[in-house]
Amino acid sequence: MSRGVERKKSWWLSCCSCCSSSRGEDTEDNWRPGDRNIGGGISGGGISGGRISGGEISGGEISGGEISGGETLGGGVSDGGISEDGNNDRRFNREPGRRGSNADEVPSGPSIPGSSLQIQSVDLLKSRNGETRRAHHTEEYEYDELIIRRGQPFQVCITFQRAFVPNSDQVCILLQQGNSQPVTLNLVKEFDEGRWGCQVADVSGQKVTLWVNTSAQAGVGKYQLSVKSGGGSYNDPSLKVYILFNAWCRLDSVFMDNEAWRQEYVLNEIGRIYYGTEHQIGERSWNYGQFVKGVLDAVMYVLDRGGLSPSSRGDPITVTRVISAMVNSMDDNGVVAGSWSGEYADGVNPVAWVGSVDILLKYHQTGSSVKYGQCWVFAAVTTTVLRCLGIPGRTVTNFASAHDTDGNLTFDVFFDEDMKPLEDKNSDSIWNYHCWNDCWMTRPDLSAKYNGWQAIDATPQETSHGIYCCGPSPLLAVKDGLVNIKYDTPFIFAEVNSDKVFYQRMPNGKFKKVHVEERAVGHFISTKAVGSNAREDITYLYKHPEGSAAERNAVRTAAQYGNKPLAEVETDDTSDVSLTIDSQDGVSMGSDLIVRVLVNNGSSSRRSVSLSMSVAVMFYNGVCKESFKNEACEISLNPGESKPVGMTVRYSEYRTQLVDQSAMMLTVSGIVKESGQKLAKQHTFRIRTPDLIIRVHGEALVGQQIVAEIIFQNPLQTTLHNGRFHVEGPGLQRPKVVPVGDIGPMKTISITERFTPHRPGPRQLMASFESNEMSQVHGVAEVVVQG
């Protein structure tokens, strides 16, 4: 038995009988000093083994502990793990005493004497508008329980049955998560920053106010609080405490030293998600709703279902990896079931969702995966889970996002001898767009330069160590092509910076590289800007400028780590004819569209080109149906001449072909007769759907009903069947579905929604419309609610 366990057991045996009997004989199963668990936490204490050096903890007593200074983001230490501006402390009647993070010892209170100090009541001071909730930035949670952020003090008021005598009476706090070993917080004279402990703040006769400090590495979750005094224990099931990550605490591994960023990436409930194509970027609002009643419990349920033990919940690396696995339903019956089939009769069309709230609440209520989601739904739900737990997170969209199915870090396209696409062999795909998440944390398992934004992806595409999860991968590693850095960096690198390689089948059956596009993937990587609804381009965080020496070096580095040479084309072919594709982006549903190919002869000789064009409807993830329109032509070009070749695609031709999000791909291929040069080009475009109009009438006041009008016009000459609206808004309206039936050709429909705001401040009311024939129709209205 180690010295730590011996000390702990003897401490409890020296306590009153109620303490020792309540502990039982399980003490040897608890952590020992220096132990490190999978999640970087230590059971019972919730203190990260990778961040404490030289410390021993015995029965709630901390001795000889130091916090390693080099493993915290920013390197500094704030007052008790509270934000530097000091506003949090000064909201209370007295600041707790504190000691620096390099203190040699945390003084602990003496053993509880066997006196008659009986506890009458315990008040957690948990009011939503009270000082504690405001100081911990948790007042927006629609919960009456105490919600705090780790590493930051809070107050508890205890009423005894007689006057409290500070010099002789003793009291301690116990916090227990699930069935794990309780954490005991004895009275101390001064807090050791980022450590467990409590101290007397104020004594007034029978009432004693305690400062309570949680570890900056505590496992996040729901704790039961109890109090011990010389007269026994006070246990009340209502004394629940939710402990979250703390982006305001310098000793927390998710600390973010920027208040505007914290407001956006932790506290903002409304997001913008970008979709479409790189040539036609669309956007939609999303209700993350992390503060809505029930969501926090649903998120805790997700961690439970993911098998995350209390001792592992202090490490954001482990937590986010489990989140990326649990948000999808693969392997573990997680939150959202994915479907790209176009058939959603037994669930909800992915484009109809406007928020995460209904999804998470349904999952918690039923225990079954919610149908259906696609990448932006997975990413949006992940953002909700991250922000709800206190981990800074954001939804990211990558346009022209490669899905590398064979792990060779390139996107490969195969053609036959006549340069016609081999659809059965083209397993790699380029998604029109793909959404995932960035989350903010330190990486003590890596070099400090990899601290900061990490990419995680909850969309189930490929397995990681046998499980459908992805990340966290440092953005810097992705940018520099360091695909040996964990986790799943090769997959994310391929999404944003792989080369597109075209192969032609030769007469002997082998394939030859005929063309390489170095700028085919990873464009306009986008997220919502801090403090506004503008789109922020963060491509520079994922890759060096396209075509620069640094970007090419990153591709070469990735190829070397991947044991695959950089794709190059033999230079024996003459390449003097080029293709440029243009299409009518933004064509409205119901209209014809024209695509145009410009063929340019850059040589000093005449050129004859055999050109083939085909249009196929595609799912947004890059998977195409068979082409529904094909045209071929012969073009003669004089030296230096350019000629346009056009093709009209009529609404009657594509109307019955369209799938979700109304995207199509034009593939152009050809051969130059004189030189044998192979030509290949692909271009994606989409048909635009109409927007909803939302008008809010009257002044919005908390507790008073208000009216909103939602208007939709059918732009088609055909009837839309089984129409329905989805409406919601955090602080305004819980998720609601309003069926409206069939909508005739070119008809306009209007519905009136009455709702009662229950939280003040700037809010948004969001709605979507779907029918059997049309989806991807959205609208949003700004609402400022007066308190």
Side-chain angles (χ1 to χ4, degrees):
M1 182 181 295
S2 72
R3 178 172 176 266
V5 172
E6 289 172 350
R7 290 186 60 195
K8 174 166 52 182
K9 195 166 186 178
S10 63
W11 189 92
W12 278 103
L13 290 175
S14 70
C15 282
C16 59
S17 59
C18 67
C19 297
S20 58
S21 63
S22 68
R23 298 282 288 204
E25 298 297 327
D26 296 329
T27 54
E28 292 191 27
D29 294 332
N30 299 327
W31 66 271
R32 295 179 172 86
D35 284 354
R36 181 179 177 94
N37 290 305
I38 295 174
I42 302 177
S43 65
I47 299 177
S48 171
R51 293 175 179 268
I52 307 293
S53 61
E56 292 184 43
I57 300 182
S58 58
E61 180 179 346
I62 305 177
S63 62
E66 292 185 0
I67 301 177
S68 303
E71 295 184 2
T72 58
L73 183 64
V77 178
S78 68
D79 292 343
I82 303 177
S83 60
E84 288 183 293
D85 58 16
N87 289 336
N88 297 333
D89 276 347
R90 285 152 179 75
R91 294 181 182 180
F92 294 107
N93 60 341
R94 196 187 97 189
E95 285 192 1
R98 292 179 300 276
R99 288 152 52 91
S101 61
N102 292 321
D104 295 329
E105 184 177 353
V106 178
S108 63
S111 299
I112 301 171
S115 70
S116 60
L117 183 67
Q118 300 288 328
I119 300 171
Q120 181 174 309
S121 64
V122 177
D123 186 355
L124 296 183
L125 306 175
K126 60 186 181 180
S127 169
R128 283 182 59 186
N129 295 317
E131 294 176 336
T132 298
R133 293 281 295 268
R134 293 201 309 271
H136 285 254
H137 308 279
T138 61
E139 69 272 24
E140 286 287 307
Y141 286 88
E142 296 175 358
Y143 278 74
D144 294 327
E145 290 80 6
L146 180 61
I147 304 174
I148 63 169
R149 300 189 188 275
R150 66 186 191 175
Q152 181 172 331
F154 64 98
Q155 286 188 326
V156 174
C157 183
I158 305 171
T159 302
F160 296 97
Q161 292 182 357
R162 65 163 173 82
F164 183 83
V165 182
N167 293 330
S168 59
D169 288 330
Q170 291 295 313
V171 64
C172 67
I173 302 289
L174 282 82
L175 287 167
Q176 182 176 20
Q177 185 177 181
N179 295 321
S180 66
Q181 197 67 39
V183 184
T184 304
L185 293 78
N186 278 344
L187 288 178
V188 296
K189 293 180 180 179
E190 293 181 329
F191 283 146
D192 217 1
E193 291 180 314
R195 303 281 191 91
W196 301 97
C198 64
Q199 68 177 218
V200 175
D202 184 66
V203 177
S204 178
Q206 296 172 237
K207 289 186 179 293
V208 176
T209 303
L210 297 181
W211 280 109
V212 181
N213 199 43
T214 58
S215 167
Q217 286 81 42
V220 298
K222 189 176 184 179
Y223 287 75
Q224 177 66 50
L225 183 143
S226 58
V227 183
K228 287 184 183 292
S229 70
S233 299
Y234 185 91
N235 300 290
D236 184 343
S238 68
L239 298 178
K240 303 292 186 184
V241 181
Y242 293 87
I243 299 180
L244 309 178
F245 288 99
N246 194 349
W248 287 262
C249 173
R250 284 191 175 274
L251 296 179
D252 196 310
S253 46
V254 303
F255 171 68
M256 179 173 267
D257 195 13
N258 185 310
E259 179 59 24
W261 285 25
R262 292 188 292 240
Q263 292 292 323
E264 181 68 46
Y265 300 130
V266 179
L267 300 182
N268 192 1
E269 289 182 273
I270 297 294
R272 286 286 194 275
I273 299 178
Y274 301 94
Y275 66 94
T277 71
E278 61 184 287
H279 307 290
Q280 186 185 357
I281 297 176
E283 65 179 65
R284 57 182 297 171
S285 293
W286 190 274
N287 174 21
Y288 294 127
Q290 67 265 33
F291 303 131
V292 171
K293 179 67 174 178
V295 170
L296 179 56
D297 285 317
V299 168
M300 296 302 174
Y301 176 70
V302 170
L303 299 186
D304 292 341
R305 287 287 295 266
L308 199 57
S309 67
S311 62
S312 300
R313 298 187 187 194
D315 178 18
I317 299 172
T318 302
V319 170
T320 55
R321 192 153 173 79
V322 168
I323 291 170
S324 78
M326 280 302 303
V327 167
N328 69 73
S329 66
M330 304 293 285
D331 309 314
D332 41 35
N333 192 29
V335 180
V336 181
S339 176
W340 288 262
S341 67
E343 300 294 330
Y344 313 114
D346 59 339
V348 175
N349 186 327
V351 300
W353 297 111
V354 289
S356 307
V357 174
D358 210 19
I359 294 171
L360 285 164
L361 295 184
K362 284 183 178 178
Y363 180 67
H364 190 202
Q365 291 162 3
T366 66
S368 299
S369 302
V370 178
K371 300 175 180 178
Y372 287 102
Q374 294 176 1
C375 72
W376 70 93
V377 180
F378 293 115
V381 171
T382 297
T383 298
T384 299
V385 174
L386 291 171
R387 293 184 183 181
C388 187
L389 290 172
I391 301 173
R394 61 190 184 188
T395 305
V396 172
T397 302
N398 176 41
F399 291 94
S401 186
H403 179 185
D404 178 21
T405 58
D406 55 12
N408 66 355
L409 301 180
T410 60
F411 172 72
D412 303 318
V413 184
F414 296 90
F415 294 86
D416 65 13
E417 294 84 350
D418 298 320
M419 290 300 291
K420 301 290 179 61
L422 292 170
E423 295 177 1
D424 60 336
K425 191 170 178 60
N426 292 326
S427 59
D428 286 352
S429 60
I430 293 183
W431 298 40
N432 290 347
Y433 68 95
H434 179 49
C435 298
W436 61 73
N437 299 86
D438 288 344
C439 51
W440 182 275
M441 69 185 72
T442 59
R443 290 299 298 267
D445 57 327
L446 303 173
S447 169
K449 67 180 181 179
Y450 295 115
N451 293 340
W453 289 118
Q454 319 284 318
I456 63 172
D457 192 347
T459 300
Q461 297 179 83
E462 304 292 333
T463 60
S464 172
H465 297 92
I467 298 174
Y468 279 96
C469 65
C470 184
S473 172
L475 266 56
L476 180 61
V478 176
K479 182 175 183 175
D480 290 338
L482 298 172
V483 296
N484 60 318
I485 298 294
K486 59 185 180 182
Y487 294 91
D488 308 306
T489 305
F491 185 81
I492 298 170
F493 173 86
E495 288 182 305
V496 301
N497 208 11
S498 57
D499 287 345
K500 186 175 183 180
V501 184
F502 295 86
Y503 294 86
Q504 182 186 20
R505 187 172 60 196
M506 308 308 292
N508 62 4
K510 294 183 178 181
F511 286 88
K512 175 185 177 183
K513 297 188 194 75
V514 295
H515 183 57
V516 174
E517 285 188 30
E518 297 179 349
R519 307 185 184 192
V521 305
H523 302 152
F524 302 108
I525 303 176
S526 304
T527 192
K528 177 187 173 300
V530 172
S532 78
N533 290 326
R535 183 182 68 87
E536 180 182 0
D537 193 312
I538 58 170
T539 308
Y540 71 97
L541 293 177
Y542 277 88
K543 58 197 296 187
H544 296 280
E546 200 74 74
S548 67
E551 185 267 338
R552 286 290 89 196
N553 184 61
V555 174
R556 281 189 291 271
T557 299
Q560 291 169 0
Y561 278 115
N563 298 316
K564 184 179 184 297
L566 190 65
E568 295 180 355
V569 176
E570 299 174 11
T571 58
D572 55 349
D573 290 337
T574 302
S575 301
D576 48 28
V577 176
S578 61
L579 300 176
T580 302
I581 298 178
D582 186 24
S583 68
Q584 286 179 287
D585 290 323
V587 172
S588 297
M589 182 76 73
S591 302
D592 298 341
L593 64 94
I594 298 174
V595 296
R596 190 179 72 156
V597 180
L598 186 65
V599 187
N600 178 65
N601 178 12
S603 74
S604 58
S605 303
R606 186 176 178 81
R607 292 287 185 253
S608 300
V609 181
S610 296
L611 208 62
S612 297
M613 296 179 289
S614 63
V615 178
V617 164
M618 67 182 299
F619 294 91
Y620 85 98
N621 63 355
V623 176
C624 290
K625 297 170 68 175
E626 282 192 29
S627 56
F628 65 87
K629 181 159 188 174
N630 300 276
E631 289 186 0
C633 61
E634 300 289 330
I635 305 172
S636 295
L637 297 168
N638 292 320
E641 185 181 11
S642 295
K643 280 187 179 180
V645 179
M647 181 168 64
T648 300
V649 183
R650 303 193 182 281
Y651 173 64
S652 58
E653 294 176 305
Y654 72 74
R655 178 176 64 87
T656 59
Q657 302 288 331
L658 289 180
V659 293
D660 295 343
Q661 304 190 50
S662 307
M664 288 180 264
M665 175 180 282
L666 170 67
T667 299
V668 182
S669 58
I671 299 176
V672 180
K673 293 182 180 179
E674 290 81 2
S675 63
Q677 179 188 350
K678 311 302 186 303
L679 303 173
K681 200 82 170 179
Q682 291 180 318
H683 180 80
T684 59
F685 53 94
R686 68 182 179 92
I687 307 300
R688 180 175 174 80
T689 50
D691 295 323
L692 294 179
I693 298 173
I694 303 178
R695 299 190 180 114
V696 178
H697 303 289
E699 185 180 8
L701 299 172
V702 171
Q704 294 189 19
Q705 191 178 80
I706 195 170
V707 175
E709 184 183 12
I710 304 174
I711 304 168
F712 168 73
Q713 181 179 17
N714 177 8
L716 305 181
Q717 297 288 348
T718 57
T719 298
L720 301 179
H721 298 89
N722 194 26
R724 53 209 170 273
F725 291 92
H726 295 250
V727 185
E728 65 184 84
L732 300 175
Q733 169 71 52
R734 298 294 286 258
K736 182 179 182 181
V737 179
V738 182
V740 293
D742 299 344
I743 303 174
M746 307 300 291
K747 295 294 185 182
T748 298
I749 185 172
S750 173
I751 65 170
T752 299
E753 277 299 299
R754 291 175 171 82
F755 57 93
T756 303
H758 55 274
R759 280 194 274 148
R763 306 290 171 188
Q764 290 187 5
L765 183 68
M766 290 162 284
S768 71
F769 171 83
E770 63 167 331
S771 67
N772 296 351
E773 295 79 12
M774 181 179 292
S775 57
Q776 194 82 351
V777 179
H778 310 284
V780 62
E782 304 284 341
V783 182
V784 178
V785 181
Q786 304 298 323

